[in-house]
């Protein structure tokens, strides 16, 4: 009889290694099974906006569990879902009329895609079948949302089954890398506007459903806001040709940038026709996302079927909605948007001083520090052959080595390879997105450990 070596784990992971096992958490502090204590400087993936174990949210979940843990949305609605929808509509200050719930960010973006198509099907424009998004974007991990995205690394294994007929891409709005030296910001935006309009004309303006963009780009390039006037220009092109202007705020929305919706301060104040939110909605206490639907789209759907033809088993979960209501109420009652702006500005000042100051050994390799609120990216660049050879010793980008070193020192961050060219073969960056209730002292600790980790990796690889 054949013998088999017992695996170290029966769970398939998203990493080539078995990650450390967390057992408990409080605030931004996590404890592992071996007793190791970590500081979470990234909220999982910009999710844990209140940190862990907030008593108000925990009690709300307990209370809902005791009354109504689940109903199926095609049979019954529930009070938490109705209340959360009202809260989200109020937060948009007139931008939205309807809310559809999902179980996470990818599912919310899938809902956006299907809602947009439903709108045109029901308003008698069946020829509209094309979406335009941007290169170096990420909109989710389903087959459709990967088709909409242009994240080279995530798309690569699935290129053969992605939809290349209905999903099209234009240039990213990433001035630090792609604005020409002789261009003003206004000229750069004008060039991007013309490229989008040219793509509409190439595809046939009456075949385009909409243009989709992250208000602030997340994982692909690392907390990159668009140049001033960009979203106004993109929205004008969409509406000129009767298409929808669509924003993905799964990562940057629900307070992450210091305003409830990122477009309020980082998108020229241009409200979208459709919007996806997720991470900061449930704050890690619930698996939830939402599609926010403008009156324009709601009126179109109402004119024919009058209902959402998209749905899943756990849509509008009472438990998830109750947790999300509590999260949003805590953000409001504890004035955390203000803290997000305040501590975010402090974080940015420390990063720039410690990593770009005259005495910093990292300064030659820090290409850019950008972001807003409590969402910041540090991009690295190595132009010398010696530096490139050094960081390739382990087959990893510099940011991935920094992430590993930081974890050894008790700090959880996110490192990414690529994002500095369209092919995804150049550059690396680190993301920081701590909880909205992070303190000044915690910010200082995060920066201390991060800077030490960067300098230690530089030393280890003799860069």
């Amino acid at each position: 009889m054949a013998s088999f070596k017992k695996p170290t784990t029966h769970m398939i992971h998203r990493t080539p290694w078995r990650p450390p096992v967390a057992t408990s958490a409080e605030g931004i502090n996590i404890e592992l099974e071996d007793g190791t204590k970590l500081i979470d400087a990234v909220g999982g993936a910009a999710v844990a906006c209140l940190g862990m174990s907030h008593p108000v949210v925990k009690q709300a979940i307990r209370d809902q569990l005791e009354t109504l843990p689940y109903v199926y949305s095609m049979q019954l609605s529930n009070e938490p879902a109705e209340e959360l929808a009202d809260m989200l509509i109020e937060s948009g200050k007139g931008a939205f009329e309807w809310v559809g719930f999902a179980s996470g960010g990818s599912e919310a973006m899938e809902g956006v895609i299907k809602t947009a198509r439903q709108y045109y099907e029901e308003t008698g424009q069946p020829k509209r079948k094309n979406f335009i998004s941007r290169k170096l974007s990420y909109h989710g991990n389903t087959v459709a949302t990967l088709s909409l995205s242009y994240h080279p690394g995530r798309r690569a294994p699935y290129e053969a089954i992605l939809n290349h007929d209905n999903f099209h891409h234009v240039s990213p709005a990433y001035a630090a890398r792609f604005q020409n030296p002789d261009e003003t910001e206004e000229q750069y935006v004008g060039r991007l506007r013309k490229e989008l309009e040219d793509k509409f004309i190439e595809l046939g303006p009456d075949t385009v459903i909409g243009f989709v963009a992250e208000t602030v780009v997340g994982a692909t390039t690392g907390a990159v806001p668009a140049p001033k006037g960009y979203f106004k220009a993109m929205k004008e092109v969409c509406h000129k040709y009767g298409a929808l202007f669509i924003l993905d705020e799964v990562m940057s929305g629900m307070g992450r940038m210091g305003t409830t919706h990122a477009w309020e301060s980082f998108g020229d104040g241009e409200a979208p026709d459709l919007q996806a939110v997720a991470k900061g909605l449930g704050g890690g206490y619930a698996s939830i996302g939402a599609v926010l639907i403008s009156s324009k789209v709601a009126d179109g759907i109402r004119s024919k079927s009058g209902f959402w033809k998209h749905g899943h088993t756990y849509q509008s979960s009472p438990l998830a909605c109750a947790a999300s209501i509590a999260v949003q109420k805590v953000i409001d009652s504890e004035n955390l948007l203000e803290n997000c702006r305040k501590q975010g500005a402090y974080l940015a000042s420390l990063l720039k001083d410690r990593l770009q100051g005259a005495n910093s050994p990292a300064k030659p390799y820090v290409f850019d520090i950008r972001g807003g609120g409590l969402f910041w990216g540090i991009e690295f660049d190595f132009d010398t052959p010696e530096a490139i050879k050094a960081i390739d010793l382990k087959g990893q980008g510099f940011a991935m080595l920094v992430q590993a070193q930081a974890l050894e020192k008790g700090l959880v961050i996110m490192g990414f390879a690529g994002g500095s060219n369209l092919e995804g073969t150049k550059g690396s960056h680190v993301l920081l997105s701590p909880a909205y209730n992070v303190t000044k002292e915690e910010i200082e600790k995060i920066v201390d450990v991060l800077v030490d980790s960067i300098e230690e990796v530089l030393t280890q690889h003799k860069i």
Side-chain angles (χ1 to χ4, degrees), residues 8-193:
T8 57
T9 178
H10 291 286
M11 178 178 173
I12 185 168
H13 292 284
R14 295 182 66 189
T15 55
W17 58 88
R18 182 177 186 247
V21 176
T23 56
S24 63
E26 185 80 27
I28 66 168
N29 301 295
I30 300 173
E31 185 167 337
L32 304 183
E33 61 181 348
D34 64 359
T36 300
K37 292 180 171 56
L38 305 174
I39 298 172
D40 185 2
V42 76
V47 175
C49 59
L50 300 184
M52 306 289 187
S53 301
H54 195 289
V56 172
V57 186
K58 287 166 64 177
Q59 188 59 52
I61 295 170
R62 290 191 198 101
D63 293 345
Q64 190 60 44
L65 188 61
E66 291 292 330
T67 56
L68 183 69
Y70 173 74
V71 291
Y72 184 42
S73 62
M74 288 192 74
Q75 298 163 341
L76 299 168
S77 187
N78 63 86
E79 291 176 335
E82 298 288 351
E83 182 180 349
L84 182 59
D86 291 344
M87 291 175 69
L88 287 169
I89 293 303
E90 185 178 351
S91 77
K93 301 171 185 174
F96 310 111
E97 184 174 344
W98 277 350
V99 176
F101 290 112
S103 295
S106 293
E107 194 180 296
M109 282 304 298
E110 190 90 12
V112 162
I113 291 169
K114 292 174 70 178
T115 304
R117 169 60 188 175
Q118 180 183 343
Y119 166 73
Y120 285 111
E121 179 68 23
E122 299 205 356
T123 55
Q125 302 177 68
K127 287 176 61 177
R128 291 195 183 264
K129 62 179 184 177
N130 293 310
F131 287 89
I132 303 171
S133 60
R134 304 184 297 190
K135 297 178 181 179
L136 297 181
S137 63
Y138 179 62
H139 298 291
N141 233 359
T142 67
V143 172
T145 55
L146 276 176
S147 300
L148 180 66
S149 307
Y150 199 96
H151 186 296
R154 292 180 188 260
R155 282 171 59 108
Y158 313 107
E159 279 291 348
I161 62 169
L162 297 185
N163 181 336
H164 299 90
D165 296 326
N166 303 106
F167 296 92
H168 311 272
H169 303 89
V170 291
S171 295
Y174 185 6
R177 286 288 182 187
F178 300 106
Q179 183 176 335
N180 294 329
D182 60 346
E183 279 183 316
T184 64
E185 185 176 58
E186 186 177 5
Q187 289 170 334
Y188 178 50
V189 169
R191 175 161 62 89
L192 294 177
R193 176 188 173 125

Side-chain angles (χ1 to χ4, degrees), residues 156-360:
Y158 313 107
E159 279 291 348
I161 62 169
L162 297 185
N163 181 336
H164 299 90
D165 296 326
N166 303 106
F167 296 92
H168 311 272
H169 303 89
V170 291
S171 295
Y174 185 6
R177 286 288 182 187
F178 300 106
Q179 183 176 335
N180 294 329
D182 60 346
E183 279 183 316
T184 64
E185 185 176 58
E186 186 177 5
Q187 289 170 334
Y188 178 50
V189 169
R191 175 161 62 89
L192 294 177
R193 176 188 173 125
K194 183 179 185 303
E195 181 186 1
L196 179 63
E197 188 158 13
D198 288 347
K199 180 62 72 173
F200 266 80
I201 293 167
E202 173 194 331
L203 295 171
D206 60 348
T207 72
V208 177
I209 289 175
F211 169 71
V212 184
E214 297 161 274
T215 311
V216 178
V217 181
T220 313
T221 53
V224 175
K228 184 179 179 181
Y230 171 80
F231 285 108
K232 183 176 186 293
M234 300 302 106
K235 186 175 181 178
E236 286 173 352
V237 172
C238 290
H239 288 182
K240 177 179 178 179
Y241 295 106
L244 299 178
F245 174 60
I246 302 169
L247 292 179
D248 175 350
E249 294 203 354
V250 166
M251 205 169 202
S252 64
M254 300 313 299
R256 176 56 60 187
M257 307 307 297
T259 51
T260 300
H261 303 289
W263 53 261
E264 294 179 276
S265 53
F266 287 86
D268 306 323
E270 297 294 331
D273 298 307
L274 287 169
Q275 179 180 324
V277 297
K279 297 176 186 289
L281 179 59
Y285 293 90
S287 298
I288 189 167
V291 178
L292 309 183
I293 302 170
S294 67
S295 294
K296 170 183 173 179
V297 176
D299 286 344
I301 293 174
R302 192 184 288 114
S303 69
K304 191 174 182 182
S305 72
F307 67 94
W308 206 24
K309 296 184 177 180
H310 169 75
H312 292 278
T313 302
Y314 292 100
Q315 179 175 310
S316 309
S317 159
L319 271 176
C321 291
S324 299
I325 289 168
V327 168
Q328 299 311 308
K329 286 183 175 179
V330 168
I331 291 172
D332 182 57
S333 65
E334 296 184 9
N335 199 24
L336 294 185
L337 294 185
E338 171 60 29
N339 192 63
C340 194
R341 295 189 292 269
K342 178 181 177 181
Q343 300 303 339
Y346 185 51
L347 172 61
S349 68
L350 290 181
L351 290 172
K352 291 174 181 179
D353 179 59
R354 298 283 300 278
L355 293 174
Q356 293 180 315
N359 298 321
S360 170

